[in-house]
Amino acid sequence: IVIKLPFDLTEQEQNHIALDYIYDLTTFKFESINDLLSQKSLNNLPFILEVNEYDDSRLCIAFKQIPGTVVIHGDTQYKDNGHKIKSLGNIETIKGDLGLSNSAIENLGNLKTVEGDFWFSATDEFLLNNGFKILTLSPLEKVKGAVSIRGNSLKTLGSLEYVGGNLSLRFSGVTNLGDLEYVGGNLLVSKYNLENYDFSKIQVSGKIRRYNDKVHNLNPT
């Protein structure tokens, strides 16, 4: 980890300032700056998150607003311990994308807004042996980008009202569209779920696309 403070200080001095800053905010004492990478969660909640991990990666404390893209990884062999996160806790806004990758997260905590895309991603092995645990998107209200849901744990979109891009419910177990009012792109659904959907109160700027997906492909595809 490289600390880049706008002061003429040595690397050791900058690291010391950063560690003191975290201690003052959280009362959590780190001995080394590189120890931050191993503390993505604390008490099953996000703590030190890596944002924009695929482009201009940086670390931030999990306050109410996260200044970039976050991917919660559930793979215990992955470089972080995101697999321990069960809730997004007090996070209310994510300024980039939110990805749940092989994650056993159980709820979105206080999350209200995702300013990028929101997606679920999983390997076939994960879907067969573990699977997602989350049942609803509540209290999430707005995703400015696209939403893609895969896996059969999620049953309802809950409080989600606005999706700015495409909304894909293919190969999902979603049978309740919840409070959904607006989809800015196309709405993609599997025909085996059509009888559960009422599109009459939803404004879809694109098209409602129906696919002959098979139920047995749901877990995995």
Side-chain angles (χ1 to χ4, degrees):
I1 299 176
V2 178
I3 302 298
K4 297 179 181 179
L5 299 177
F7 312 115
D8 185 17
L9 299 172
T10 66
E11 180 180 346
Q12 183 177 3
E13 289 172 327
Q14 294 204 40
N15 290 350
H16 183 71
I17 289 175
L19 293 178
D20 282 349
Y21 170 75
I22 292 174
Y23 177 73
D24 290 341
L25 287 174
T26 70
T27 70
F28 199 92
K29 187 69 174 179
F30 289 96
E31 297 299 326
S32 166
I33 201 73
N34 287 315
D35 290 342
L36 301 179
L37 285 173
S38 64
Q39 200 63 53
K40 296 297 190 298
S41 66
L42 183 65
N43 298 325
N44 299 125
L45 298 174
F47 185 31
I48 307 292
L49 289 176
E50 183 176 6
V51 299
N52 305 329
E53 66 176 82
Y54 302 114
D55 180 27
D56 190 27
S57 175
R58 60 187 64 191
L59 299 179
C60 74
I61 298 176
F63 291 132
K64 290 184 178 181
Q65 181 170 288
I66 303 300
T69 291
V70 174
V71 182
I72 306 297
H73 295 276
D75 187 349
T76 57
Q77 301 301 313
Y78 196 70
K79 65 181 179 180
D80 63 32
N81 62 348
H83 60 277
K84 295 181 181 179
I85 296 176
K86 293 185 178 180
S87 170
L88 292 186
N90 291 323
I91 296 174
E92 295 181 359
T93 302
I94 294 178
K95 304 290 285 186
D97 301 340
L98 170 61
L100 302 180
S101 177
N102 292 337
S103 173
I105 190 170
E106 296 174 0
N107 65 75
L108 298 181
N110 294 333
L111 185 67
K112 297 291 181 58
T113 304
V114 175
E115 297 195 357
D117 298 333
F118 178 28
W119 46 267
F120 288 67
S121 174
T123 62
D124 291 347
E125 181 181 4
F126 172 81
L127 291 175
L128 283 171
N129 298 326
N130 301 298
F132 294 105
K133 306 299 182 184
I134 188 168
L135 300 178
T136 176
L137 295 186
S138 293
L140 182 64
E141 296 175 353
K142 186 174 187 178
V143 178
K144 294 184 179 180
V147 175
S148 179
I149 295 171
R150 181 191 184 204
N152 63 356
S153 72
L154 196 70
K155 304 302 181 184
T156 175
L157 299 184
S159 57
L160 182 64
E161 298 176 354
Y162 180 100
V163 176
N166 291 337
L167 170 59
S168 176
L169 301 178
R170 295 187 63 192
F171 301 111
S172 80
V174 174
T175 56
N176 188 330
L177 299 179
D179 298 332
L180 187 65
E181 296 177 354
Y182 177 84
V183 177
N186 296 321
L187 176 55
L188 288 62
V189 299
S190 299
K191 286 186 177 179
Y192 60 75
N193 267 332
L194 273 178
E195 63 181 22
N196 298 308
Y197 298 151
D198 179 6
F199 303 121
S200 62
K201 297 180 180 180
I202 304 172
Q203 178 185 346
V204 180
S205 294
K207 297 182 178 179
I208 299 176
R209 300 188 182 278
R210 304 163 176 82
Y211 294 85
N212 291 315
D213 302 321
K214 297 181 179 179
V215 179
H216 69 267
N217 281 337
L218 196 151
N219 217 12
T221 59

